[in-house]
Amino acid sequence: MSAYPGSENERRVSHDALKAAASSIFQACGMSAGDAGVLGGSLATADLHGVHSHGVMRVPDYAGRLSPPPREPGTRSAVAGVQGGVNPRGRPRVSRERGAALRVDGDNAMGQIAGVFAMEAAIERARDTGVAFAAVGNSNHCGALFPYVQMAVAAGMIGVASTNALPTMAPWGGADRIVGMNPLAIGIPTGREPAFVMDAAFAACARGKVVVYHQKGVPLPEGWAFDARGRPTTDPAAALDGLLRPVGDYKGVNIAMAMGVLSTLLSGAGYGVRLGTLEQGPRAGRDGHFMLALDVSAFTDPDAFRAEMDGIIAEVHASRRAPGVARIYSAGELEAETAARYLENGIPLNDNTLADLERTAAALGADVSMLG
C-alpha cells in the first residue's frame, strides 16, 4: 500500500461518520437503507484501511450511476458525471448452478451488492462441496476486493476474488488502452498471526491513486505510468491522459487479461472495451466479478493449516532486513495497522473529496451534517 502525500495535514473524519454520510447519499439515490449501508460501508472501509482510491472519493461517480439519466439530451444532471442506468433496488440471484459452480445475475445492482451476495453464496456452497466458484454478471463497479476475501477468512476459508475494470493499460509495447488492470484479492486464514490478505491490481497503481496525486498537485513515483504516446511520466495529468504501467511488464498484462476472462466470459459480462472506455465511462450492467471460497477443512486439518500459516508469516517477520528497513510486513498487515490508527484518530481526507461529498449531498438533498 502506497502512502498518500500530505495526509498528516488533512481534515479527519471518523469511520462511522463517513459511512453514515455515504449511506445517506446512496439512500437519496433510491437504495434501501440496508443496501446503502453496504455500499457506504464498502467505501468507508476502504478509506479506513488507507485505500483512498476506492473510498468515498467515488461517491459522486456512484451517485451518478444510480441516478436517472437527464431527461433532455445534451443536458446534465445535478449529480456530477452522471451516467445513470444502474438499478438502485437490484436484487442479485443465482441464475444457474451445477455442483460447485454458481452463476450470479447481479440484476444491474452496484457491484458491492452483487459481490457480497456472490461471496456469501460461494461460502455457503463450499460448506458442502469444499470449494465453490461464483461467476457474477450484470453487475457494476464493486469497489475494493479485500472485504470479500475477508468474508471467506471469517468463515475459516480461503477467499479469492477478481473483477474486470475499464481499460487503462496497453498490451506490452503498445499504446492503445484495451486492457484493464483487473485486480486479484486472496485471503488466507491464520492462527495467532494476522490473516494473509492481498488485494492488488496488475498495474503499478490504481488509477484512483493517480487522481489523488493530481488533486494534491504532487508528482507520481517513477514507474507508475506512461503518457498517451507510451513514454514514462511522473506528471499525474499526463498519466490520466495516458496509460498505467503493468506490474512485471508483459507478465502483468497477461495476468490481468486472465483475470479479466475469469471475471467476464463465464458470466456474460464485458471484457476490456466491451465494458466501456475512460472517455465514455462504463456501460451499466457490464461489470463482472468472480468470488471463490475454499473450505480448508475439506483439504486438511484447519488447526494444522493455521499453524503452518503462522509459521510462514513468522518467517517473513524474522527474515533479514535490507539496509534502512525497520520492519517487514506480510500481506494486509500495513493496511490493518492503518485501520487501527485511523479508528483512533480519524480518517484523513483531502479538501476536494470532502467538497465533492458535500456538493453531491446538496444536489440530492441528503444529510451529511455528521461530517462536521
Side-chain angles (χ1 to χ4, degrees), residues 144-203:
L145 291 178
F146 70 87
Y148 304 110
V149 299
Q150 286 178 326
M151 292 169 60
V153 168
M157 299 186 186
I158 297 172
V160 183
S162 186
T163 185
N164 64 341
L166 285 175
T168 52
M169 302 191 301
W172 188 244
D176 288 332
R177 285 192 298 230
I178 61 172
V179 180
M181 64 176 66
N182 306 334
L184 171 69
I186 303 174
I188 306 176
T190 52
R192 297 183 305 275
E193 298 287 351
F196 179 99
V197 179
M198 182 204 82
D199 181 355
F202 294 101

Side-chain angles (χ1 to χ4, degrees), residues 351-364:
D351 290 340
N352 286 347
T353 295
L354 289 166
D356 284 346
L357 273 176
E358 291 166 353
R359 187 160 42 247
T360 304
L364 293 166

Side-chain angles (χ1 to χ4, degrees), residues 13-349:
V13 180
S14 75
H15 173 257
D16 288 345
L18 201 57
K19 176 181 176 180
S23 301
S24 176
I25 291 172
F26 296 139
Q27 277 190 262
C29 292
M31 298 187 80
S32 68
D35 284 353
V38 169
L39 187 54
S42 165
L43 301 186
T45 295
D47 278 317
L48 179 67
H49 287 77
V51 189
H52 298 298
S53 60
H54 288 68
V56 296
M57 67 174 288
R58 292 185 176 267
V59 166
D61 174 62
Y62 279 18
R65 298 187 193 200
L66 289 160
S67 299
R71 293 181 179 179
E72 297 296 328
T75 63
R76 294 178 63 83
S77 164
V79 180
V82 67
Q83 296 284 337
V86 175
N87 184 2
R89 295 278 179 170
R91 297 265 56 88
R93 63 185 179 87
V94 175
S95 62
R96 183 171 178 172
E97 57 186 300
R98 183 195 296 174
L102 305 171
R103 178 165 169 163
V104 173
D105 181 337
D107 196 26
N108 194 24
M110 282 304 301
Q112 285 86 341
I113 309 306
V116 168
F117 174 91
M119 183 56 89
E120 287 178 343
I123 290 169
E124 190 60 31
R125 183 60 57 92
R127 297 189 196 281
D128 295 327
T129 59
V131 58
F133 184 106
V136 187
N138 195 15
S139 186
N140 295 283
H141 193 270
C142 69
L145 291 178
F146 70 87
Y148 304 110
V149 299
Q150 286 178 326
M151 292 169 60
V153 168
M157 299 186 186
I158 297 172
V160 183
S162 186
T163 185
N164 64 341
L166 285 175
T168 52
M169 302 191 301
W172 188 244
D176 288 332
R177 285 192 298 230
I178 61 172
V179 180
M181 64 176 66
N182 306 334
L184 171 69
I186 303 174
I188 306 176
T190 52
R192 297 183 305 275
E193 298 287 351
F196 179 99
V197 179
M198 182 204 82
D199 181 355
F202 294 101
C205 69
R207 192 169 188 274
K209 289 184 179 179
V210 180
V211 172
V212 173
Y213 274 72
H214 186 251
Q215 288 176 341
K216 293 172 180 283
V218 177
L220 300 175
E222 292 186 5
W224 275 21
F226 301 112
D227 66 15
R229 295 176 60 186
R231 301 172 301 187
T233 184
T234 60
D235 179 0
L240 290 173
D241 190 44
L243 302 158
L244 297 179
R245 183 179 186 127
V247 295
D249 300 338
Y250 68 91
K251 297 178 182 178
V253 170
N254 292 340
I255 297 172
M257 290 177 65
M259 292 302 104
V261 168
L262 288 172
S263 297
T264 60
L265 268 61
L266 298 174
S267 62
Y271 176 87
V273 295
R274 297 162 186 81
L275 168 62
T277 64
L278 289 178
E279 293 77 15
Q280 297 177 344
R283 297 184 178 95
R286 296 294 284 155
D287 282 83
H289 336 293
F290 78 75
M291 304 292 163
L292 176 65
L294 297 92
D295 189 347
V296 172
S297 67
F299 299 87
T300 188
D301 177 69
D303 291 335
F305 178 91
R306 290 174 181 272
E308 288 273 12
M309 278 301 300
D310 282 347
I312 290 169
I313 293 174
E315 285 179 355
V316 170
H317 293 160
S319 62
R320 189 161 52 96
R321 299 188 296 273
V325 175
R327 177 181 172 185
I328 299 176
Y329 290 88
S330 180
E333 291 182 323
L334 188 57
E335 290 82 358
E337 285 190 1
T338 299
R341 188 168 65 252
Y342 286 177
L343 275 176
E344 182 177 355
N345 301 319
I347 301 168
L349 294 171

